[in-house]
Each structure stands twice: as C-alpha cells, then as structure tokens.
Amino acid sequence: MILVRQEIGEVLRDFRLQKGRTLRQVAGRASVALGYLSEVERGQKEASSEILASVAEALDVPISTIMREVGDRISVLEGLQVFPDVLPDDLAVLSDGMIEPELSLR
C-alpha cells in the first residue's frame, strides 16, 4: 500500500539534504517542532497543508515542486512508465507569448 505521508516525508528530507540544511535549521525556520518535523520526514506523522507550506518556504522550494515530486514518486510506485506531463490550460502559453488567463476544463 502506498502511503502518501511517507512519500511526502522522503521528498522533504531529500530537498533538505540537497540544500545542505539540518533538521534543526529547517524546523527553526519553519517554526515547527524538531521532533514533529523528524516524524513527518520519516512518514510517521501527517503534515497539515500549513506545515507543508512552512517547511517548503523554509527550504526555499515552491510547494508545487514538492508536490510534483511526490506525484512522480507515487506514479513510479503505481507502475506508471510515463509521467503525465500536462500543463494546465491556465498556464499554457499562447502563440503570441501571452499566458492564457482562464482555466479550461477540457
């Protein structure tokens, strides 16, 4: 069984290590208890969206990047060979270089 909290924890740990930061540094910057963040990284605790946002900010990594990495890891665990690389219509660049402002539900 795939546990999303474990994947989130692994991704957070990977980004923290890539940035060369200690658990203590990130917890302090995110105003999260050190023990709690450790449990989140080990997949033992579920982090709220507020905690995830604080940790992402402390790591200087957009939360969208973190969640994309989590999604890619889950795709691998599910056995998907190709990751869907779909850009939402509201972010699609038009031929004149402008970004389309409205979300299409196609």
Side-chain angles (χ1 to χ4, degrees):
M1 174 171 55
I2 298 170
L3 294 177
V4 175
R5 72 172 183 261
Q6 287 179 325
E7 298 308 314
I8 290 172
E10 288 178 16
V11 167
L12 292 177
R13 179 183 293 127
D14 288 348
F15 276 115
R16 178 176 60 77
L17 295 174
Q18 286 173 18
K19 298 281 187 170
R21 297 194 184 140
T22 66
L23 199 57
R24 185 175 305 281
Q25 289 170 324
V26 174
R29 242 182 118 189
S31 299
V32 175
L34 176 66
Y36 183 76
L37 183 56
S38 176
E39 289 177 314
V40 168
E41 280 194 0
R42 287 181 279 138
Q44 296 175 334
K45 294 280 184 180
E46 297 250 2
S48 68
S49 58
E50 291 86 359
I51 296 290
L52 288 174
S54 293
V55 172
E57 187 174 325
L59 291 170
D60 299 316
V61 176
I63 197 162
S64 60
T65 301
I66 290 169
M67 299 312 289
R68 188 175 309 111
E69 179 66 23
V70 169
D72 287 350
R73 287 174 182 236
I74 291 172
S75 292
V76 168
L77 292 172
E78 290 176 332
L80 298 179
Q81 297 300 315
V82 179
F83 301 127
D85 191 19
V86 178
L87 185 63
D89 288 344
D90 64 334
L91 298 177
V93 177
L94 300 175
S95 60
D96 62 1
M98 298 295 293
I99 295 180
E100 185 177 331
E102 295 180 26
L103 177 63
S104 171
L105 299 176
R106 285 188 258 161

